[in-house]
Amino acid sequence: MESNARLKNIHYTSHENLPEQSPMLSENDMDKIIEEYFTKNDQLESMAKIGVGAFGTVIKVKDRNDNRIYALKITTSKGRSNECKILADLDHPCIVKYYNSRLYSDKWLVIQMGYCEMTLKLVIENKNAILKRHVGNKYIELFDYIISWQIYWEIVSVLRYLHHHAKVLHLDIKPSNILCDPNLSHGTLIKIADFGLSIKYEDISHTYTDKCKGSPGYMADENERGKYTPASDVFSFGQTMAHLFNVDMDLEYHIVDYEQPSLLKKQIHNMLD
């Protein structure tokens, strides 16, 4: 499918695309920890660094036993075990697959998860190449429209599942935490990842605290005061969709004809079937 080909042309493995390394630990120090880990665990082959955050690093790895590709998150173990507990209980086609976790050197938590080639952040930054959306163009092509709304509804389905079934707040919905799967595993385009800030309803304090969860630009005002509700995720979702759809008060979107309607019809059928 053409949609798969467009997505596969972009890879999130370049250091130029990575967020800045946290000042809590220098990149050289983290690289030494990673090298030491793979020296002692030769079952996994390190292929590429695909993400760097405030608490650790995500690496693309290959398991030499089954020849499958995984994502390995190496993060500080302090206060992060909750992420594994929450992930292990979740079962949704649009949530990243959790396989296992282990403690390394008493202070590093290693989490093995499903691998996706890119993030929604990278898709948004490369709309011209992936979605053929031109900067400044007031029109959105039908292909772009369908893909964007498919992503929209898949995230909605995850939030419904988290809030109504799993009773979990994600608290860090943003483009870099939404993985895009060009292989359409389970028939879905996206996988929600990074549950490091997530909290179960039963653990939510009903009073304001001094703990702040979320990312600047995507975090609701009440989060800054330590108050968390399902509306916190909805606000972050809205901010994310504003970036995806280029929401602007002066910008109107109109559907234009697609050059290959028969191919588009097949793509829509495959995605929504």
Side-chain angles (χ1 to χ4, degrees):
M1 291 174 59
E2 184 181 350
S3 59
N4 291 13
R6 290 186 194 175
L7 290 174
K8 288 182 177 179
N9 285 334
I10 305 294
H11 296 278
Y12 189 52
T13 55
S14 170
H15 284 270
E16 295 177 356
N17 293 323
L18 296 175
E20 292 184 0
Q21 176 71 31
S22 166
M24 297 173 61
L25 190 68
S26 71
E27 186 170 359
N28 287 337
D29 288 341
M30 176 55 81
D31 287 343
K32 290 178 182 178
I33 293 170
I34 293 171
E35 182 179 0
E36 179 184 296
Y37 176 82
F38 283 104
T39 299
K40 296 181 178 180
N41 297 271
D42 58 2
Q43 175 185 335
L44 297 175
E45 175 188 349
S46 176
M47 301 181 70
K49 186 188 297 184
I50 56 175
V52 179
F55 297 98
T57 299
V58 181
I59 305 161
K60 177 182 179 181
V61 301
K62 180 179 180 180
D63 191 313
R64 290 189 171 95
N65 290 337
D66 60 18
N67 288 321
R68 293 179 60 184
I69 304 299
Y70 298 92
L72 202 70
K73 183 176 183 178
I74 301 180
T75 180
T76 174
S77 61
K78 185 177 180 180
R80 306 295 288 185
S81 60
N82 183 61
E83 179 175 7
C84 298
K85 293 177 182 178
I86 289 178
L87 269 175
D89 290 336
L90 299 179
D91 183 17
H92 189 282
C94 294
I95 293 178
V96 67
K97 177 72 174 177
Y98 167 84
Y99 288 96
N100 59 65
S101 60
R102 62 193 72 90
L103 192 62
Y104 175 67
S105 294
D106 295 326
K107 61 180 180 179
W108 297 101
L109 184 64
V110 181
I111 308 173
Q112 188 168 336
M113 301 171 289
Y115 169 75
C116 290
E117 291 192 26
M118 68 196 71
T119 66
L120 183 59
K121 179 177 183 289
L122 195 68
V123 172
I124 291 173
E125 291 173 347
N126 292 273
K127 290 175 184 174
N128 187 32
I130 298 175
L131 300 178
K132 291 188 175 180
R133 187 183 302 178
H134 301 288
V135 177
N137 192 350
K138 288 189 175 182
Y139 300 95
I140 181 170
E141 291 191 17
L142 187 53
F143 174 84
D144 184 353
Y145 181 86
I146 293 297
I147 294 296
S148 297
W149 276 105
Q150 179 69 12
I151 292 172
Y152 172 96
W153 284 114
E154 288 184 5
I155 299 175
V156 167
S157 74
V158 172
L159 293 182
R160 283 176 176 169
Y161 169 79
L162 290 177
H163 295 169
H164 298 292
H165 177 77
K167 305 298 183 183
V168 168
L169 298 181
H170 186 281
L171 296 179
D172 202 17
I173 297 292
K174 59 182 179 180
S176 59
N177 285 340
I178 300 171
L179 310 181
C180 292
D181 183 6
N183 296 314
L184 299 180
S185 301
H186 304 288
T188 65
L189 281 171
I190 64 101
K191 308 284 184 187
I192 301 293
D194 200 339
F195 285 77
L197 298 182
S198 300
I199 186 171
K200 292 186 176 181
Y201 280 20
E202 61 193 49
D203 297 325
I204 297 175
S205 171
H206 295 287
T207 60
Y208 288 96
T209 70
D210 59 355
K211 294 182 179 180
C212 178
K213 291 177 179 283
S215 297
Y218 299 93
M219 180 171 53
D221 290 343
E222 60 267 25
N223 288 38
E224 297 182 12
R225 301 190 299 272
K227 188 71 173 181
Y228 314 118
T229 70
S232 303
D233 282 343
V234 174
F235 178 87
S236 301
F237 167 62
Q239 293 294 93
T240 299
M241 291 301 96
H243 286 289
L244 177 62
F245 284 96
N246 276 349
V247 172
D248 188 291
M249 294 300 292
D250 299 323
L251 187 63
E252 295 182 3
Y253 283 104
H254 303 278
I255 299 176
V256 298
D257 291 334
Y258 192 71
E259 296 176 355
Q260 296 175 299
S262 59
L263 175 60
L264 178 63
K265 183 177 180 180
K266 182 178 179 181
Q267 291 171 336
I268 296 172
H269 175 76
N270 289 338
M271 286 189 293
L272 303 181
D273 187 20

